[in-house]
Amino acid sequence: MPKIKTHSGAKKRFKLTKNGKVKRGKAYRSHILTKKSTKLKRGFRKSAYADKTNTAAVKRMLPYA
């Protein structure tokens, strides 16, 4: 049987946790940071979990993670 290719974009953006949740980084922290408040930028540092509606799609893209 052929192997399934891992989605290159997904492997850079998501990690699977031990309990099967999908961990992701926050958006909007790469540029144009001068107008964003310190409090907002500090919140971007924390990781978050992908919504349960997107979890199945991400797991399909990461077959061996």
Side-chain angles (χ1 to χ4, degrees), residues 18-35:
K18 197 173 182 180
N19 292 330
K21 288 183 181 178
V22 178
K23 201 167 149 184
R24 64 169 177 87
K26 297 271 180 84
Y28 308 111
R29 72 163 289 182
S30 57
H31 63 104
I32 317 175
L33 298 171
T34 50
K35 62 176 81 168

Side-chain angles (χ1 to χ4, degrees), residues 26-57:
K26 297 271 180 84
Y28 308 111
R29 72 163 289 182
S30 57
H31 63 104
I32 317 175
L33 298 171
T34 50
K35 62 176 81 168
K36 292 169 189 160
S37 69
T38 309
K39 187 177 180 180
L40 189 69
K41 289 186 281 191
R42 190 163 55 242
F44 291 150
R45 284 188 220 144
K46 297 176 180 171
S47 60
Y49 294 110
D51 192 71
K52 66 177 188 223
T53 56
N54 301 320
T55 302

Side-chain angles (χ1 to χ4, degrees), residues 2-21:
K3 292 181 182 176
I4 304 167
K5 285 200 174 188
T6 299
H7 191 287
S8 297
K11 73 181 174 189
K12 294 168 191 173
R13 291 172 172 84
F14 302 106
K15 294 275 181 276
L16 290 181
T17 62
K18 197 173 182 180
N19 292 330
K21 288 183 181 178

